[in-house]
Amino acid sequence: MDKRTFALVTGASSGIGRAIARELASRNHNLILHSLPDQGLSEYCVDLENNYKIRALHYEVDLTDEIGPQLLFEFVKSMQCRLNILVNNAGIGFEGPIESYSKKQIDYMILLNIRALTLMTFYFTPELKTHKESYLLNISSFGCYVPTAYKSIYLASKSYIYYFTRALESELNGTSLHTCVIVPSAVRTNKIVLDRIGRNGWFSRKSALYPEEVARIGIEGMLRGKKVIVPGILTNLFFSFGMLVPEGIILWLTRRIFRNYKQTD
């Protein structure tokens, strides 16, 4: 492992991003971790350095700000870090009927899930392509395959991530940069998500994974060169089932599953 290279993980203070950071550290990767301000990221970096004997830097910024992604890019360049892995994990989702969202919620989902991820990829792709081997891992959602009532904006943004990554796979063919998109279903990340999993019925509860499981499967798949990763046995079975069932039935099923939405601020 080249001690001069780093992996950058956005949204690394909790959930999947935090687990991915630890998974990479356990594999001897130096880290640059991003989060919103005041999320305890500096303490987490110290913990990772002490436990895995790697370097762990951090930078706090809101990626929905106009120049947020640019500031993160400039920080990495100022530290003279050679980036060979980019994990675009930062994202947020709200649920409910389309008319129930606030403008702030709509803006935040689009700016973080779509704009920030796209700009991060734009800024760092030239550096990633300079390495003998490098990786871009984007976090989508299993729901990107199915138009889902009460999650319209969030899963539309995750569909963007999926198709954006697959298009880059073709665009970057023949280069040293490998692209990968992971499409997890429910992940047990925090109290809000746990409540949502409980309300969404049997499949949601049984298919839900822990962040550490998603991180391990995602990083293993990325390093093996997989292009699309569907973590979880039950989620893979549902994916195969969905390929055989008419879309109308799938839409009916998901409408019933997610009808017990709970609006959040």
Side-chain angles (χ1 to χ4, degrees):
M1 186 66 61
D2 189 342
K3 289 295 185 180
R4 298 169 298 172
T5 59
F6 285 76
L8 170 58
V9 184
T10 65
S13 63
S14 62
I16 297 173
R18 186 180 181 92
I20 285 176
R22 187 171 294 278
E23 182 68 27
L24 287 167
S26 73
R27 295 168 182 265
N28 206 31
H29 290 275
N30 295 316
L31 299 171
I32 304 168
L33 303 184
H34 154 269
S35 76
L36 289 168
D38 304 318
Q39 301 296 306
L41 198 58
S42 61
E43 293 86 349
Y44 189 48
C45 285
V46 171
D47 172 64
L48 293 174
E49 287 187 332
N50 289 339
N51 280 285
Y52 299 103
K53 310 307 177 187
I54 51 94
R55 291 185 64 196
L57 310 177
H58 72 280
Y59 189 76
E60 300 174 345
V61 68
D62 187 343
L63 292 179
T64 67
D65 285 347
E66 176 69 22
I67 61 170
Q70 180 182 341
L71 291 174
L72 179 51
F73 171 71
E74 290 175 352
F75 169 77
V76 175
K77 301 304 287 184
S78 71
M79 299 302 293
Q80 298 183 330
C81 297
R82 301 189 65 237
L83 200 74
N84 67 336
I85 297 175
L86 171 60
V87 181
N88 282 314
N89 166 75
I92 194 168
F94 302 102
E95 60 181 355
I98 183 61
E99 71 274 14
S100 70
Y101 293 108
S102 66
K103 182 179 180 297
K104 181 180 179 180
Q105 288 176 320
I106 294 171
D107 283 344
Y108 210 79
M109 282 189 282
I110 292 173
L111 290 172
L112 184 57
N113 299 0
I114 296 177
R115 180 181 182 272
L117 177 142
T118 305
L119 285 175
M120 291 291 292
T121 305
F122 162 75
Y123 284 129
F124 286 106
T125 291
E127 162 68 15
L128 291 167
K129 289 169 70 175
T130 65
H131 295 270
K132 184 177 180 181
E133 196 164 42
S134 57
Y135 301 91
L136 169 65
L137 173 61
N138 288 334
I139 313 299
S140 181
S141 167
F142 184 71
C144 74
Y145 294 116
V146 182
T148 303
Y150 312 118
K151 290 177 171 284
S152 56
I153 301 170
Y154 171 66
L155 291 182
S157 72
K158 290 298 185 177
S159 293
Y160 172 90
I161 294 170
Y162 175 82
Y163 287 105
F164 175 64
T165 310
R166 298 308 308 275
L168 288 177
E169 173 194 329
S170 179
E171 182 176 322
L172 294 166
N173 183 46
T175 74
S176 61
L177 176 51
H178 306 282
T179 65
C180 179
V181 60
I182 185 169
V183 290
S185 54
V187 183
R188 303 176 186 274
T189 53
N190 55 51
K191 290 182 179 180
I192 294 174
V193 175
L194 289 173
D195 173 67
R196 186 180 301 161
I197 291 170
R199 286 185 282 105
N200 288 340
W202 179 88
F203 177 80
S204 183
R205 291 192 297 272
K206 293 297 183 181
S207 65
L209 300 175
Y210 289 96
E212 293 77 14
E213 295 176 283
V214 177
R216 176 182 54 77
I217 294 168
I219 297 304
E220 285 180 355
M222 179 191 78
L223 295 175
R224 290 203 309 266
K226 292 192 69 174
K227 304 302 184 183
V228 179
I229 300 171
V230 184
I233 295 174
L234 191 57
T235 303
N236 272 279
L237 289 174
F238 188 78
F239 177 78
S240 300
F241 170 75
M243 296 296 100
L244 303 174
V245 176
E247 185 182 68
I249 295 177
I250 296 296
L251 292 174
W252 176 80
L253 284 171
T254 55
R255 186 164 59 248
R256 288 183 59 84
I257 290 171
F258 296 108
R259 62 185 174 182
N260 295 318
Y261 63 85
K262 182 179 181 181
Q263 293 171 236
T264 54
D265 296 329

